[in-house]
Structures are given as structure tokens and as C-alpha cells.
Amino acid sequence: MSAPELLHHVTSPGDLKVLPGEALPELAAQIRRRLIDVVTRTGGHLGPNLGVVELTIAIHREFDAPRDAIVWDTGHQSYVHKILTGRDDRLEQLRTAGGITGYPSRAESSFDIVENSHASTALSYADGLSRGFEMTGRKRRVVAVVGDGSLTGGMAWEALNNIGASDRPVIVVLNDNGRSYDPTVGALARHLAELRAGTATSNLLESLGFGYIGVVDGHDFRALDKALKAARAHTGPVVVHVVTRKGCGYPPAEQDEADRMHTVSPAPAPAAVTDDTTCEPRTEAWTTVFGRELAAIGEERADIVALTAAMRLPTGLGAFGERFPHRLVDVGIAEQHAVTCAAGLATSGLHPVVAIYSTFLGRAFDQVLMDVGLHRLPVTFVLDRSGVTGPDGPSHHGMWDVSMLRGVPGIRIAAPRDSVRLRELLREALAHESGPTVLRYPKGRAPAPICVHTRIGTVDLLTPHQSCSQVLVVPSGPLATVAVEAARRLAGMGVSATVADPRWIHPLAPELMTLVADHQVVITLEDNAIGGGLGAALSMAAHRAGLATRVIPMGLPVEFVPVGERADLLARYGLDAEHVVDTVLATRWRRGTSRAAAVSLAST
Ligand SMILES: Cc1ncc(C[n+]2csc(CCOP(=O)(O)OP(=O)(O)O)c2C)c(N)n1
Ligand SMILES: CC(=O)[C@@H](O)[C@H](O)COP(=O)(O)O
Ligand SMILES: [Mg+2]
């Protein structure tokens, strides 16, 4: 078989097993070329996948998936696994609506098990799977591939503690490239470095009851083959400590000091040639605005401390960390610890800022509720990637934070509509010292600023409040842009609508409730699951106040939202001006006004 065809003829692990060992380096080279060619166009986790080409080939040659369960921790490094299990022909549709996802997907393949892209879960799955196989008398192995970064998560150690006490055949492949995004932090990172250097005086993993095979060169097929055969023959749980290079084989990734091209953005679409010179000015990313403002506040206030869970740069803490290295705490992928550490910092008299992706805060809800909320501590949570994110799919949309956090007594939640409000609300949050505060904003660029027409208490009216207006639109955060556009369209139809941006979406301001009482219909817009969010809160408040106002919440469904472009998904769930206008007209129509009459009324 000529070398160029090799990759096309490997569509299953069975095809892989019959290849002669001397063909493997060429196969690896072809897979690497494929990854670089495609992922630099589609966007995705290029660095992590380039680091596991040989390792993934070796695992699928030694073990018998799907009979043996192979679990990928976080799953962002599973593109090679997908190529080797028959999905290379769909790689161009990586991380797109209707394409293949950037993580394992049970719907795509029986070789895939864990769809959740939250780190540090693989070993708990491995413990459960191996217990289940043992309890049901099935002789199936479990292979869990876990990164050194994911091993800094607490769940991983809870699982190691359980697996290590058993004699079950769990093979833990520790993919040690020394990094999360940044170099991995903490005593564990130091211990792994000593193991890699051969200077360790003890072995933490062996003392946990595991066999230990290492250190193995993760790019050497012979070494991998020998180590994995030994692991397969081992009785009881065993760790294979493999050393790999994130970004291996692609110099721009290998030389990327920031994060070894952990995630690359999609190549920009060719700019459409238009004569339109009035295109919108490019605004800044939410993350950039936050990072710059926090660094400025850090100059003014020595009590501000920032915390990250291994995502210093992705959450915008680069500038703050450069200016105040001793006031930036990176705890590793350990969100629960980050929150309660922040509680400790607040108890010591400081004001911590926990910068974290919305979806990852879910892991630390108990810590927010009981370690911060119960003690009414001044901790500010800045939730990036709130709402629909897009290419990362269901386990990355930040669509539960409002519903989850509204249950914390004493918490205050803000949703800036643009960069001006982000800076303003960050300062307001940091000035609040009698309990936790939250800011949430989505992935990507902030919209063009929308000026306030009138401020009533903490509420911004974005349109003139006309006494005759029957409709009030209450958007959360950047959906204010949608609300203002809908109001503009409704005005053109003779329907007057007021847009009120609460800025602080929890608790509801009394001034907002007064506005609700003044209107017949209230539409709330939120980039959050509709259950337990802004709309639910406002509906309940209107009901409890005995108001006749009709409240219509519009938001994301209580479902797992798929992969897709943010704008497409928002429109799919009705969070665009067209759907808001239709909802208003339909509402007038349902109140006994015929649709035709409503339209004719609207057209007057
Ligand atoms: C709970 C959680 N926190 C943060 C992240 C974001 N994240 C994705 S991959 C990654 C680094 C993972 O490092 P490692 O496990 O060493 O894998 P590598 O990328 O080095 O292969 C982080 C922090 C996540 N997916 N889940
Ligand atoms: C796998 C993971 O959790 C992160 O790498 C995530 O994919 C980053 O998301 P952004 O690309 O939105 O920063
Ligand atoms: Mg790593």
C-alpha cells in the first residue's frame, strides 16, 4: 500500500492492528498533516491533538475498543481517536452544526463514551465502568486517558482513591505534556516533573495503590507498545506515565509560549467585497474589556485579588497578572477549590475576583452557596462564555448560571449590555462588600454601546417611556441590541414599546417592577435557560404583586443546546428581533384582536 493512501485505509482500529510497525510513523505523519490542514481552517484544539497522535494509535492497536472502554478526559484531544474510528471523512465539518463535534459523541460512534468536555471526570467514569463490568461479569478493560492538567482537578483524586483500593483492570494513561493552557501548577506538577527527570524519591501514584509504568516517550511507538502491553498484562489498576509534547510536529504550535495552540480560531472567511463603507466599527472582545478594566482597578485598590482555574489568559487575567503577579492565584483545574479559596481570601479582608467560564462554575455551586453565600462574603464572580457559546456545544454553553445562582441568598447578578456597562458594573460589583456579586457576558465581541435614554434607579431605559406604550421589553445583557431593534420595528408598525435594561438582573429592582405594572405586556429576553431565569423571576414577581401584566419570557430551552454559531442558535431559539416582534403581535392578536386587525392596527 503506497504511503499516501495509508490514512484513507484506516477507518477502524481493526485496520490499525494489521499494519506493520514500520508503517506507523508514516501514518502518524499523515494524521498530523491532516490535523494541521483541517483544524487551522475549522478551528479547534490543535495543540492537544497533535500531542497524542502516536499515543492514540498505540492505544487503539493494543486495546480492543469498543469492547474495552477508552475514556478521554475532557475529550478535546479526541480528534485522532475520531480519525481512527471512521470519521476522517467528516473532519472538515468539525465543530459545526450538523457536523462532528469537538468532543466524543455517543451519537457519532460506539467508540465514544464521555461527551462532557468538563475536565477531571474520566477517572470517575473509569471507576464506575470497571465496577459495572465486574458486577455484571464482563471481562472488559477500561482505559482512561487523562492529562496532567486534568489531574489537578479534585474529582480525579476522588476517583484515584477509589480505583487504587481495588484490583480492577483500570489502565490510567497519564498524558503528561506539562501544561494545561499555561504550564501546569502545584505540587503535583512538581512531582510529575521529578518523575520525568528521574529525581523523585517516592511515587505518589504507587502509594495510591496503582502499578506505575513510566516514564514513557509518548512519541516513540516501540516504547508505547512495550508499556501498553505491560499495562494490559498488569493485574489491578496501573498508571502508564506518558510524556508528550503539546503541538508536536507543528513548529507554530510547539513555539507558542502562551498555550501551545491549545485552541485555534477558525480561519477568517474571505471578506465579502462590498462598497459599503459604513460597516460597523469592530468592537472589542468582552474578555479584553474586562481584563483591562480589572488591571486598572487593581492599581486603585490593593484589596483586589484575582483567581483562575488554569485559564489565566482565556478569562482575560493576563494584564492583571503581569501588573500584580502576587495577586493572581492560579489553582489549576480546580474550580471548587478556587471558590472556597476565594472565600478564605475574602474572610482575610480582601475582595477576590473569580474569573471563570460560566459552564465551569456549575462544578462549584455548593462552594458558592455555602462557602461564599452563607457567610455573605464579598466575592465577585466574572462569568465569561455565559449564554450560547457555539462551537464547543452542549457542555460549554453558559446557560445555567442565572438559574443556578439566583438561589443563593444575598447574591447580586449583573448582565452588561455592552463594554461601557461592563466597566461600570464591574466597579459596582467590586464596591459591593456585603455579599457575592456576579457579572456575566458571552463569548466574542461586545456589541456597539447603546446609550441610556433615562436611568431610573439602577434600570436603564433605552427608549423614551411613552405613557401610551403597552409593551415593555426587558433584555438581559447584550440582548438589549435585539430589544432595541425590535422596538424600532414595532414603532414602524404603530406599536409603541419601551426597552428597559435592568443591568442588575437579580434581584429585580423595584423600579423595574413599577415599569412592569405600567405595561400590559412584558417580554423578557435572556441568553440563559428559561427555567428559573430572569423571565421566571419577573413572572413570579408580577404574579405575587397581583399585576394584570402579561409576562412572556423568551430564552433558551431547558435542553442541551447543540453545536452551532452563536447568532444562528440565538435565532433558532427566538432570541432575535424578528421573533420578538412576532411574539408581540401574536400577543395582541391572542387578546381577542384578530390577527388581521392587529396587522392593520400595526400598519397604521
Ligand atoms: C472543569 C473544567 N475546567 C476548565 C476547562 C477548560 N480546559 C479545557 S482543556 C484544559 C487544559 C487541560 O489540560 P490537560 O488535561 O493537561 O490536557 P492537554 O490540553 O494538556 O492535553 C482546560 C483548563 C474544562 N474543560 N473543564
Ligand atoms: C476544552 C475546553 O474546555 C476549552 O479549551 C474550551 O474549548 C475553550 O473555549 P473557548 O475557545 O471559548 O475559549
Ligand atoms: Mg497537559
Side-chain angles (χ1 to χ4, degrees), residues 78-151:
S78 62
Y79 301 177
V80 183
H81 160 79
K82 291 200 172 194
I83 289 172
L84 298 175
T85 51
R87 285 167 276 181
D88 180 55
D89 59 342
R90 298 174 63 194
L91 203 61
E92 272 79 6
Q93 286 75 50
L94 182 69
R95 293 165 38 112
T96 58
I100 58 171
T101 70
Y103 304 99
S105 160
R106 294 183 180 193
E108 287 176 21
S109 169
S110 61
F111 288 94
D112 292 9
I113 297 172
V114 178
E115 304 186 358
N116 177 13
S117 61
H118 291 196
S120 316
T121 66
L123 297 178
S124 295
Y125 271 98
D127 187 35
L129 283 161
S130 64
R131 289 175 188 271
F133 294 153
E134 185 179 65
M135 289 171 181
T136 53
R138 285 174 286 172
K139 293 224 174 290
R140 296 174 63 178
R141 287 180 184 77
V142 179
V143 180
V145 183
V146 59
D148 55 306
S150 298
L151 210 52

Side-chain angles (χ1 to χ4, degrees), residues 517-563:
D518 282 353
H519 289 79
Q520 292 177 25
V521 177
V522 176
I523 310 273
T524 60
L525 302 179
E526 56 193 305
D527 189 0
N528 184 77
I530 203 76
L534 168 65
L538 202 144
S539 298
M540 187 168 68
H543 177 71
R544 289 170 67 171
L547 300 182
T549 308
R550 176 103 196 280
V551 180
I552 304 172
M554 295 179 73
L556 302 176
V558 183
E559 292 169 8
F560 291 109
V561 171
V563 169

